[in-house]
Amino acid sequence: MDELIELYLFKYRKCPLLELGTLEIVDSSAVASLAERMIYAPLISIRFVNTAMPADHFINFIANNKKVTKNAATLLLKEYCVTLRNMDAYGETKFLTAGKFYVNEDGQLVFKPADTPGEFLPVVYAERVIHTDASHSMTVGDKETTSAEMTAYYSENDLASRDKWWIPALIIFLIAAIAIGYFFNADPGANTFGNRQKIQIKPDSATYKPVE
């Protein structure tokens, strides 16, 4: 029965065990480490969930492989699940490659997946390469364009902005010239900036009296 469970699981990625729950295969993505310049292979793991799922397809699979009736296949699956449920504390049921069922210290049925051999999932050396002249399609608003066209567009706008730096400077210069011209025209006698008020010189007061 263990072999049929493994075979069904690896073929259909899920294997129902009646009311006990379901074994299922979970995939993870490959992981790239830029610092180590390595790409780690995606891991394949098996987990056991308490959610039950219909077992009719699996029962037919058992019947076809065991060459028995559907009722007999159902009975075989039920007996297997009862054996798992009634397993003694710290008891375990091992599969050939998938892992094993065991009962933990709390009396709960747990599945532990087997470790995947490292030679099946080798680490790949990878050097990051940046293609500065590469171009790819992209959408800007409702318009289809390419990254090369957008780079050229922003480069042209940036150069145009730099070429017009003198316009604000010219405007400031003209405003300053108009202000200075207005100041001198308003007071023709003005020849400098600052306070032009005349200083009144008072005669010195007597600080002594002559002796007679």
Side-chain angles (χ1 to χ4, degrees), residues 18-35:
L18 301 180
E19 68 274 4
L20 283 182
T22 304
L23 285 172
E24 61 182 17
I25 293 178
V26 181
D27 296 329
S28 64
S29 302
V31 178
S33 175
L34 298 180

Side-chain angles (χ1 to χ4, degrees), residues 6-178:
E6 279 191 312
L7 183 60
Y8 188 87
L9 175 63
F10 291 135
K11 186 174 182 179
Y12 298 103
R13 302 182 62 84
K14 288 187 178 183
C15 181
L17 297 177
L18 301 180
E19 68 274 4
L20 283 182
T22 304
L23 285 172
E24 61 182 17
I25 293 178
V26 181
D27 296 329
S28 64
S29 302
V31 178
S33 175
L34 298 180
E36 299 177 357
R37 299 179 181 179
M38 297 288 185
I39 296 180
Y40 296 92
L43 298 178
I44 299 175
S45 182
I46 302 172
R47 68 181 181 183
F48 178 65
V49 295
N50 295 327
T51 304
M53 61 177 291
D56 291 342
H57 189 271
F58 182 40
I59 291 173
N60 290 330
F61 180 83
I62 296 172
N64 292 333
N65 282 270
K66 288 287 189 178
K67 307 299 182 184
V68 296
T69 64
K70 185 175 179 180
N71 290 336
T74 303
L75 182 60
L76 288 174
L77 181 58
K78 286 183 178 180
E79 289 177 350
Y80 182 86
C81 293
V82 169
T83 301
L84 288 179
R85 185 189 300 111
N86 297 333
M87 196 158 45
D88 296 334
Y90 302 103
E92 61 181 28
T93 298
K94 290 185 178 181
F95 293 91
L96 183 62
T97 58
K100 64 180 181 180
F101 275 110
Y102 70 95
V103 177
N104 64 13
E105 58 185 5
D106 296 326
Q108 294 180 341
L109 184 65
V110 180
F111 182 81
K112 181 180 180 180
D115 296 330
T116 304
E119 55 269 21
F120 293 154
L121 300 171
V123 178
V124 179
Y125 176 79
E127 182 73 27
R128 186 177 184 183
V129 178
I130 300 176
H131 300 280
T132 56
D133 57 344
S135 178
H136 60 272
S137 300
M138 61 187 301
T139 303
V140 179
D142 57 353
K143 181 181 178 182
E144 292 289 338
T145 183
T146 65
S147 57
E149 291 178 356
M150 292 305 299
T151 300
Y153 171 78
Y154 284 114
S155 297
E156 291 174 0
N157 287 347
D158 185 52
L159 290 175
S161 299
R162 293 180 182 179
D163 291 341
K164 296 179 181 178
W165 65 269
W166 55 270
I167 295 178
L170 178 61
I171 294 174
I172 295 174
F173 173 78
L174 292 176
I175 293 175
I178 293 172

